[in-house]
Amino acid sequence: MTEKSRIFSRPTRKEFLRGAASAALLPLFPQILTAAASEAEVSEVAPGVFVHVAPYELVEPTNHGDISNSCIIVGNDAVAVVDTGGSYLVGKALRAAAARVTSKPIRYVINTHMHPDHVLGNAAFDGIGAEFVGHAKLPAALSARAESYLRTAQTRLGETGFAGTKIVIPTKLVSDTLDLDLGGRSLTLKARATAHTDNDLTVFDSTTGTFVLGDLLFSGHIPTLDGSIVGWLKLIPELMNEKAQRAIPGHGPKSMPWPDAMLPEQRYLETIARDVRTLIKDGATLEQALKTAGQSERDNWQLFAELNGMNVTAAFTELEWE
């Protein structure tokens, strides 16, 4: 058994949180953090398209913010990185992974939306000559939340896990459609209407038919609503009509068949909307809605208990004004 495998065969995350094995784990914590932060596993899902799959977890010191998927796309001349993770350490590990799969320079860092688990790793790519790309509404949205995002990340990650993390705001902006050239490989970026957030961006690699959706696509991990449930449900059929060989979710496996990958998410959002509308019609309060809306979906999603209430709150706040 190698030293690294010995470290990671130690107590599980749940055991750590319970404190059941703190004596065994705490002396190894700096080693765990260093080993995990220096390496990001990636899988090639199509020629030149590599995906890093993150666990279904909330941000905490043991994962140092590595809770969302990232993508590395390699052209003949250059590389694009799509989403960079939730801290400088995660971004640094992703940058190292890119260097392992190609010696070509990183030309673009693309953020699919504003959430910190997708953008705080930008710091590791700052100053290397890459352009940062995002939805036209991303700079305003990210600037408005920057202080809160950084403060929360520092609290959840601790000083070691947070070190080096900062906000890097994209300056190459997409208001409709933008094509990026990697040399023999073109990526089509599309700014989407308000759905998961008001600054969602998708990336399509025409060379392999790979559709990178960020958090417009969740699988296994419960979807999270920070934009408009009405807008998201309207957008889903439009996305499903777009042709692709495979989809890469913001949270989920490394690759999924398209468009069927979207069906569970569509069902969940339709359930939330239907339940909330019924409760509002019956005169129920938000507090009552939080206890019942979406509960039929409980067994279908990880992190349901932690995040369904947020979705119900957002949906209720929007739909009560219909």
Side-chain angles (χ1 to χ4, degrees), residues 68-105:
S68 63
N69 295 349
S70 301
C71 188
I72 299 165
I73 305 174
V74 182
N76 292 336
D77 302 328
V79 177
V81 173
V82 185
D83 289 337
T84 57
S87 70
Y88 169 81
L89 286 175
V90 178
K92 182 180 178 182
L94 187 64
R95 185 175 162 190
R100 289 200 305 271
V101 300
T102 181
S103 60
K104 297 179 177 69

Side-chain angles (χ1 to χ4, degrees), residues 13-97:
R13 183 177 70 91
K14 288 183 178 179
E15 289 173 332
F16 173 75
L17 293 175
R18 290 198 303 263
S22 58
L25 183 60
L26 288 177
L28 294 171
F29 185 77
Q31 298 176 55
I32 292 174
L33 185 61
T34 300
S38 63
E39 300 179 8
E41 292 186 5
V42 295
S43 300
E44 190 169 19
V45 300
V49 180
F50 300 84
V51 178
H52 169 67
V53 176
Y56 297 154
E57 296 179 347
L58 302 178
V59 173
E60 58 185 47
T62 51
N63 61 38
H64 46 90
D66 182 17
I67 64 167
S68 63
N69 295 349
S70 301
C71 188
I72 299 165
I73 305 174
V74 182
N76 292 336
D77 302 328
V79 177
V81 173
V82 185
D83 289 337
T84 57
S87 70
Y88 169 81
L89 286 175
V90 178
K92 182 180 178 182
L94 187 64
R95 185 175 162 190

Side-chain angles (χ1 to χ4, degrees), residues 153-173:
Q154 186 171 19
T155 299
R156 292 181 178 178
L157 294 171
E159 292 300 327
T160 301
F162 180 76
T165 302
K166 64 179 181 179
I167 298 287
V168 178
I169 295 178
T171 55
K172 191 176 188 68
L173 305 178

Side-chain angles (χ1 to χ4, degrees), residues 56 217-222 249 251-253 256 261 265 301:
Y56 297 154
L217 177 60
F218 285 77
S219 178
H221 181 303
I222 188 173
H251 300 264
M256 303 181 70
E265 174 179 288
W301 303 96

Side-chain angles (χ1 to χ4, degrees), residues 108-126:
Y108 302 108
V109 174
I110 303 167
N111 292 139
T112 60
H113 63 290
M114 66 186 175
H115 285 153
D117 55 317
H118 295 259
V119 305
L120 291 185
N122 285 6
F125 298 86
D126 195 23

Side-chain angles (χ1 to χ4, degrees), residues 156-280:
R156 292 181 178 178
L157 294 171
E159 292 300 327
T160 301
F162 180 76
T165 302
K166 64 179 181 179
I167 298 287
V168 178
I169 295 178
T171 55
K172 191 176 188 68
L173 305 178
V174 186
S175 57
D176 185 12
T177 301
L178 175 67
D179 291 329
L180 299 179
D181 181 23
L182 301 180
R185 182 171 227 142
S186 179
L187 304 181
T188 299
L189 281 56
K190 288 188 179 182
R192 304 295 181 168
T194 300
H196 170 63
T197 69
D198 74 350
N199 50 88
D200 297 311
L201 188 75
T202 60
V203 180
F204 182 71
D205 170 36
S206 58
T207 299
T208 63
T210 301
F211 201 11
V212 186
L213 288 109
D215 281 5
L216 288 174
L217 177 60
F218 285 77
S219 178
H221 181 303
I222 188 173
T224 59
L225 176 62
D226 196 12
S228 166
I229 194 166
V230 173
W232 203 342
L233 286 169
K234 180 180 178 181
L235 178 62
I236 284 175
E238 298 176 19
L239 293 171
M240 292 178 70
N241 282 333
E242 299 192 20
K243 304 300 182 184
Q245 295 297 313
R246 67 192 59 79
I248 298 174
H251 300 264
K254 61 185 179 182
S255 178
M256 303 181 70
W258 185 256
D260 290 353
M262 186 65 81
L263 294 175
E265 174 179 288
Q266 183 181 41
R267 185 196 64 236
Y268 170 78
L269 293 172
E270 287 175 344
T271 299
I272 294 294
R274 181 180 64 250
D275 288 356
V276 168
R277 284 189 172 112
T278 298
L279 287 159
I280 290 171

